[in-house]
Amino acid sequence: MRTLTGITPTGTVHIGNYFGAMRPAIEAQAGGDCFYFIADYHSMTSLTDPAQRRANTLGVALDWLACGLDPARSVIWRQSDVAGVTELMWLIGTLTPMGLLERAHSYKDKIAKGISPNFGLFSYPVLMAADILLYDTQRVPVGRDQKQHVEMTRDIAIKFNQTYGETFVVPESEIRDEVSVVPGLDGQKMSKSYGNTIEIFGEEKAMRKKIMGIVMDSRTPQEPKPDADKNLAIQLLKLVAPAAVAADYEQRLRAGGLGYGDLKKGLFEHYWNYFAAARVRRAELAADPGHVNRVLAEGAERARAVADKVLQRARKASGLA
Ligand code: ADP
Ligand code: TRP
């Protein structure tokens, strides 16, 4: 089973990325044949600072490796190192109906947030489809927000296969219900573009401040809270604390007597411990950028070997070669 996913280096990786995409991807390594890339082409729809892009790309590579991505078992590369993906984007773009792109939630959401649209942002699902189809991907672990993009990829693959003959593998998304949407500090979906993130590798003091700053309602600590399961800190605690610990906090909040300050303190401690080992590994990796660059270069070579074959297949099928 070939698994593939990508992370866009537009900012610092957060726990929504981790639970929604990175952890399932890391766990999938047990089954082998994993392809993971840093979507630096995608970052161009919203980031125009070259130094920032370079730094973020290296940062995401460090994040992946620190969290357990193992280059001996997985292929990890920078999207732009396999430039053929942009050619495939053209091949499939000519079969992508405008209406399909106009229906993209993520595009509509971004416009609604005041992000000024460009052609790249509009055509982004086509590049994402190319990312997936170029590697004969079967399974794509992503957060709920990307489900529609994987469905578009399926539509595009099916249309290409119908038009030009069997060429692409039709992929499936893998979405875990319990982490499909990790909420951010404001309760909305956690996203780099919404400024509501809890970073995986934030600095201790700043992260404590962020978590302690989560706004709660004005009920007194003593008051029972029948809606404890909806509490944002409880929801986040369920991700980073053992199930029994999170259940205990929830029960105490429900019964009354647990103050929001203590709850947030508990959340911070569990969050901080959850990523402690990865934090140490990241510092070691960051001290040796040569190693990380070698990993990315080797990954690009392995990715290219697959991509070249699939691209040739698509060129041939469509009468280009
Ligand atoms: P962001 O929305 O912060 O820009 P990306 O678009 O780079 O994040 O997402 C990278 C991966 O992380 C995708 O698979 C996406 O579905 C997943 N992801 C992002 N935010 C969340 C979230 N809040 N909950 C679950 N998964 C998420
Ligand atoms: N669009 C994805 C996101 O913003 C990142 C991404 C790009 C991706 N190409 C992909 C994810 C291919 C899975 C497969 O989250």
Side-chain angles (χ1 to χ4, degrees):
M1 174 74 85
R2 175 157 300 158
T3 303
L4 172 143
T5 199
I7 296 246
T8 312
T10 34
T12 315
V13 169
H14 53 77
I15 66 171
N17 300 138
Y18 180 76
F19 290 104
M22 292 170 79
R23 195 174 66 172
I26 286 160
E27 286 173 5
Q29 294 185 122
D33 206 20
C34 295
F35 279 62
Y36 300 136
F37 67 96
I38 304 158
D40 55 351
Y41 279 141
H42 280 276
S43 73
M44 299 182 83
T45 60
S46 58
L47 179 73
T48 52
D49 178 338
Q52 191 69 50
R53 185 171 352 272
R54 232 171 265 129
N56 288 354
T57 301
L58 179 67
V60 172
L62 290 172
D63 296 336
W64 270 114
L65 295 168
C67 287
L69 196 146
D70 175 6
R73 287 191 290 167
S74 302
V75 182
I76 174 171
W77 77 102
R78 231 183 329 241
Q79 181 187 30
S80 64
D81 281 345
V82 185
V85 74
T86 58
E87 182 180 348
L88 184 60
M89 182 188 176
W90 176 255
L91 267 58
I92 60 179
T94 54
L95 292 179
T96 307
M98 285 294 282
L100 189 73
L101 297 176
E102 278 159 0
R103 283 193 296 276
H105 305 306
S106 112
Y107 176 73
K108 288 193 279 191
D109 289 351
K110 285 185 176 149
I111 303 286
K113 296 262 173 217
I115 295 169
S116 89
N118 54 46
F119 171 72
L121 191 68
F122 184 67
S123 60
Y124 167 119
V126 188
L127 180 58
M128 179 157 162
D131 290 328
I132 296 170
L133 300 178
L134 188 59
Y135 299 95
D136 281 342
T137 306
Q138 291 162 292
R139 179 171 62 172
V140 188
V142 282
R144 170 88 57 223
D145 63 311
Q146 296 295 321
K147 184 178 172 28
Q148 191 192 29
H149 290 155
V150 180
E151 271 157 18
M152 291 170 148
T153 305
R154 291 171 56 86
D155 290 349
I156 293 170
I158 290 167
K159 181 129 182 229
F160 195 100
N161 289 346
Q162 281 169 348
T163 310
Y164 293 122
E166 276 309 308
T167 306
F168 295 123
V169 173
V170 181
E172 308 227 7
S173 57
E174 183 199 74
I175 296 165
R176 299 196 176 181
D177 274 341
E178 70 281 14
V179 291
S180 54
V181 183
V182 176
L185 293 163
D186 55 359
Q188 289 193 76
K189 169 189 133 68
M190 186 177 291
S191 173
K192 280 167 259 170
S193 28
Y194 304 160
N196 61 357
T197 54
I198 299 175
E199 288 72 29
I200 304 180
F201 297 111
E203 194 268 318
E204 183 169 6
K205 218 167 136 194
M207 295 313 300
R208 189 190 302 270
K209 198 167 158 205
K210 267 194 173 186
I211 289 178
M212 293 310 290
I214 295 175
V215 178
M216 304 259 161
D217 56 59
S218 56
R219 287 177 287 178
T220 65
Q222 284 68 35
E223 216 173 307
K225 313 214 169 36
D227 53 351
D229 57 320
K230 309 248 163 29
N231 181 282
L232 176 61
I234 293 289
Q235 287 174 13
L236 294 173
L237 203 53
K238 284 180 182 163
L239 298 171
V240 294
V245 172
D248 181 56
Y249 271 98
E250 185 176 337
Q251 166 52 26
R252 281 157 61 206
L253 190 67
R254 191 181 303 277
L258 172 66
Y260 289 140
D262 287 336
L263 170 60
K264 289 189 271 187
K265 220 182 269 168
L267 170 61
F268 173 77
E269 298 301 337
H270 283 283
Y271 149 76
W272 195 251
N273 288 336
Y274 188 92
F275 293 107
R279 206 171 287 124
V280 172
R281 270 201 304 279
R282 195 182 191 283
E284 289 165 4
L285 288 160
D288 188 2
H291 168 72
V292 179
N293 283 324
R294 273 194 304 281
V295 166
L296 292 176
E298 276 166 28
E301 214 170 293
R302 290 165 68 193
R304 207 174 295 119
V306 176
D308 284 351
K309 277 197 206 121
V310 180
L311 188 57
Q312 282 316 316
R313 204 197 294 151
R315 289 177 60 105
K316 205 166 156 201
S318 53
L320 291 171

